[in-house]
Amino acid sequence: LMGKAFFYQGDYSSAIQTFEYIIKQFDDEKSKYMAYNWLVRANIERKDFREAQHILEIIQHDIKYPDKLKYQLNLTKADFYIKQQNIIAAEPIIKEAIEQAKKKKDKLRLHFIYAQINEKLNKYQLASEYYEKVIKMNPPYEMAFNAKIKRASMFTGGKSGGSIKAELLEMLDDDKNREYLDQIYYALGDLELKNKNSAQAIEYFKQSTNSSINNTNQKGLSYFALADIFFNQSQYVESQAYSDSAIS
């Protein structure tokens, strides 16, 4: 617990010293091998990936490593690869960890991460399926909201577009989403654009910019989407105006 406390304070040197002490002084399997996992994570946070890899190799070749901690080892390995932007290597490890996870909270988080990974790998259908699984698992509000927005952004055309749009329109009426209207309108605009309905997409993107309160990143994305549409329609004056807004 002391080692983890140092870790979460960002005092990785003290965390590493504590975990190394545990490994040397205690033979209890759970304490020792959990300390190994956290030792890897502390080195990852320090961006000392060479040392982290060295410790990982020690763990993976240790025949005494307990089976009951294989789940923790997969989480550690996934963290190792994700922090280095090696999502191709992380993908099968997260998939295996999903099967090993027992707590609902862990399953939800891993499903969401797996969806994000496949989104980055341009496997949009698979990403969409896992965002759908997250939604069906009755997650906390914020995770459910983001999963719905992400699933809408994965839409590439087809019969499901109608149900996704209906869900987004329903989200507009939920008081809990008042400060997220800009994201919902953007998702609706993106959906209409994929359905080749530029006129309706323009209206939704405009509503997105008008609804944006504190999320300047989203406002910029919405302005840029408008600039792109008008540019493709050869309406260059409008495109330039929205490009200027996106920049500012």
Side-chain angles (χ1 to χ4, degrees):
L1 288 173
M2 283 175 61
K4 288 169 73 174
F6 283 130
F7 178 91
Y8 286 121
Q9 281 185 327
D11 186 352
Y12 302 119
S13 295
S14 296
I16 286 169
Q17 288 176 7
T18 306
F19 294 134
E20 287 178 340
Y21 175 78
I22 294 166
I23 291 164
K24 290 176 183 176
Q25 296 296 324
F26 298 96
D27 291 326
D28 174 67
E29 280 189 348
K30 186 173 181 181
S31 297
K32 178 179 179 179
Y33 289 107
M34 281 299 288
Y36 263 124
N37 277 277
W38 281 93
L39 185 58
V40 173
R41 291 186 176 210
N43 278 288
I44 290 170
E45 293 302 319
R46 290 207 307 184
K47 295 188 170 22
D48 189 348
F49 296 113
R50 182 177 294 181
E51 179 63 17
Q53 184 173 10
H54 172 66
I55 301 164
L56 269 176
E57 288 172 355
I58 291 173
I59 301 173
Q60 291 177 110
H61 291 96
D62 190 335
I63 59 173
K64 292 182 180 179
Y65 191 90
D67 288 338
K68 61 186 177 182
L69 293 182
K70 289 288 176 67
Y71 170 65
Q72 292 297 331
L73 180 56
N74 274 332
L75 295 185
T76 302
K77 286 160 63 179
D79 187 47
F80 173 75
Y81 289 119
I82 289 171
K83 291 287 171 61
Q84 296 178 87
Q85 305 298 315
N86 188 352
I87 55 175
I88 293 175
E91 187 267 336
I93 297 170
I94 294 291
K95 183 76 181 295
E96 186 176 342
I98 287 173
E99 302 301 320
Q100 296 168 324
K102 292 181 171 59
K103 295 179 181 178
K104 179 185 175 182
K105 180 181 177 182
D106 294 337
K107 283 184 176 292
L108 271 170
R109 184 165 178 266
L110 288 170
H111 272 78
F112 198 94
I113 291 171
Y114 192 68
Q116 289 178 306
I117 283 174
N118 280 285
E119 181 182 348
K120 288 187 176 183
L121 291 172
N122 298 325
K123 297 179 181 178
Y124 299 126
Q125 182 61 40
L126 188 58
S128 181
E129 289 173 11
Y130 271 84
Y131 284 128
E132 177 71 23
K133 287 182 180 182
V134 170
I135 295 165
K136 288 182 177 178
M137 291 168 74
N138 193 27
Y141 167 75
E142 188 175 352
M143 184 178 282
F145 174 86
N146 282 290
K148 289 174 182 177
I149 294 292
K150 283 285 190 180
R151 186 185 60 172
S153 71
M154 296 295 99
F155 176 72
T156 55
K159 295 180 180 178
S160 62
S163 61
I164 293 174
K165 182 177 179 179
E167 185 176 65
L168 290 171
L169 290 171
E170 188 177 320
M171 290 167 68
L172 289 174
D173 295 327
D174 190 334
D175 289 338
K176 288 185 291 187
N177 294 330
R178 289 299 96 187
E179 58 183 295
Y180 306 117
L181 294 180
D182 53 348
Q183 293 182 56
I184 301 171
Y185 279 123
Y186 182 85
L188 282 163
D190 188 49
L191 200 66
E192 294 294 349
L193 206 54
K194 288 171 180 172
N195 282 325
K196 304 189 186 305
N197 189 355
S198 298
Q200 185 61 64
I202 288 170
E203 289 306 310
Y204 281 134
F205 286 135
K206 284 181 178 178
Q207 286 177 292
S208 176
T209 60
N210 292 333
S211 303
S212 191
I213 302 170
N214 298 316
N215 192 344
T216 54
N217 184 58
Q218 179 59 67
K219 197 166 190 173
L221 288 170
S222 300
Y223 276 133
F224 185 75
L226 287 163
D228 201 41
I229 292 172
F230 284 117
F231 184 87
N232 290 328
Q233 293 178 348
S234 300
Q235 298 184 51
Y236 302 121
V237 174
E238 290 86 349
S239 180
Q240 182 180 4
Y242 283 115
S243 294
D244 286 342
S245 296
I247 292 166
S248 63

